[in-house]
């Protein structure tokens, strides 16, 4: 009821203060832990909301948006990351982050924001300390899923040859391998030593 007639599309919470941040398609709502409204900040016109992420240490809320398609062309929908002061709602800056990103997460360990783009098989990385141009982490073609295999990750791709990639974050090495046609989804057992792949097109389980 804080913003009548608007659909809540994103939620974040500051663990230390208990404050809540609610994003709607048109504005950001800053709430105290009691539920009282602290600030209501309109989003820049011409953009649609994709997601929000909170950097608690800096007291900064990142808001991912994408430009409204021009002439019906989705490919022109460039992404933009806007930053706001978590206490007051005051703007802190913005950076461009490529086309069609639909999610943003903040990782305090690496002190960076990550924005996956499945279409391009790319993850955009934005440094939180000094936000600047997004760094593209190229992963593969049309990645459709991810599975945790012990300390490594298994990424499955439908296009570009229907392959999987075993990625080791510790070394940065990536090893591609194949498993039928359209390998999706992929899961590992609890020990992380055995991988199960549904080859969707073939209707087989590897």
């Amino acid at each position: 009821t804080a913003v009548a007639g608007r659909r809540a599309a994103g939620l974040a919470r500051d663990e230390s203060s208990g404050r809540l941040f609610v994003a709607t398609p048109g504005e950001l709502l800053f709430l105290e832990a009691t539920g009282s409204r602290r600030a209501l900040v309109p989003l820049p016109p011409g953009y649609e909301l994709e997601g929000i992420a909170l950097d608690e240490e800096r007291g900064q809320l990142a808001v991912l948006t994408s430009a409204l398609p021009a002439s019906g062309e989705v490919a022109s929908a460039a992404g933009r990351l806007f930053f706001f002061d978590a206490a007051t709602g005051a703007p802190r800056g913005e950076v461009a982050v490529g086309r069609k990103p639909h999610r943003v997460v903040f990782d305090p360990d690496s002190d960076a924001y990550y924005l996956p783009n499945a279409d391009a098989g790319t993850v955009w990385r934005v440094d939180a300390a000094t936000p600047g141009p997004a760094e593209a982490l190229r992963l593969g073609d049309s990645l459709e899923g991810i599975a945790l295999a012990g300390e490594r990750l298994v990424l499955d791709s439908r296009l570009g040859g229907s392959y999987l990639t075993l990625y080791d974050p510790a070394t940065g090495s990536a090893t591609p391998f194949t498993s039928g046609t359209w390998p999706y989804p992929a899961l590992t057992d609890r020990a992380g030593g055995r991988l199960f792949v549904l080859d969707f097109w073939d209707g087989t389980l590897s």
Side-chain angles (χ1 to χ4, degrees):
T1 59
V3 182
R6 300 294 284 179
R7 177 178 59 86
L11 174 68
R13 181 177 181 271
D14 186 334
E15 295 291 339
S16 59
S17 66
R19 286 178 181 156
L20 293 168
F21 308 91
V22 181
T24 77
E27 59 261 316
L28 303 171
L29 179 62
F30 295 73
L31 297 171
E32 295 289 2
T34 58
S36 61
R37 191 166 85 177
R38 184 178 185 86
L40 183 65
V41 179
L43 289 176
Y47 291 91
E48 57 185 359
L49 176 74
E50 298 291 352
I52 61 176
L54 178 66
D55 176 355
E56 293 188 32
E57 185 175 343
R58 291 186 180 82
Q60 181 166 273
L61 184 70
V63 180
L64 174 63
T65 66
S66 60
L68 295 173
S71 302
E73 293 291 332
V74 178
S76 66
R80 205 154 194 88
L81 198 59
F82 292 93
F83 300 100
F84 297 88
D85 187 292
T88 66
R92 284 189 176 179
E94 60 186 85
V95 295
V97 289
R99 291 183 173 86
K100 297 197 293 181
H102 298 300
R103 185 184 176 204
V104 57
V105 294
F106 173 70
D107 175 33
D109 291 333
S110 59
D111 203 23
Y113 298 94
Y114 294 92
L115 307 94
N117 182 336
D119 281 8
T122 300
V123 173
W124 299 96
R125 181 187 184 277
V126 176
D127 185 79
T130 55
E135 173 191 1
L137 308 176
R138 179 82 174 115
L139 299 176
D141 300 293
S142 189
L143 293 179
E144 297 201 353
I146 185 169
L148 183 62
E151 297 298 320
R152 298 177 295 178
L153 301 174
V154 176
L155 312 170
D156 43 6
S157 171
R158 175 171 57 90
L159 301 179
S162 286
Y163 62 92
L164 297 103
T165 299
L166 187 63
Y167 175 71
D168 188 340
T171 62
S173 63
T175 306
F177 61 100
T178 59
S179 173
T181 305
W182 200 339
Y184 180 80
L187 297 172
T188 55
D189 61 7
R190 289 186 178 181
R194 178 172 291 183
L195 177 68
F196 300 92
V197 182
L198 175 62
D199 300 313
F200 190 83
W201 191 264
D202 299 333
T204 59
L205 181 67
S206 302

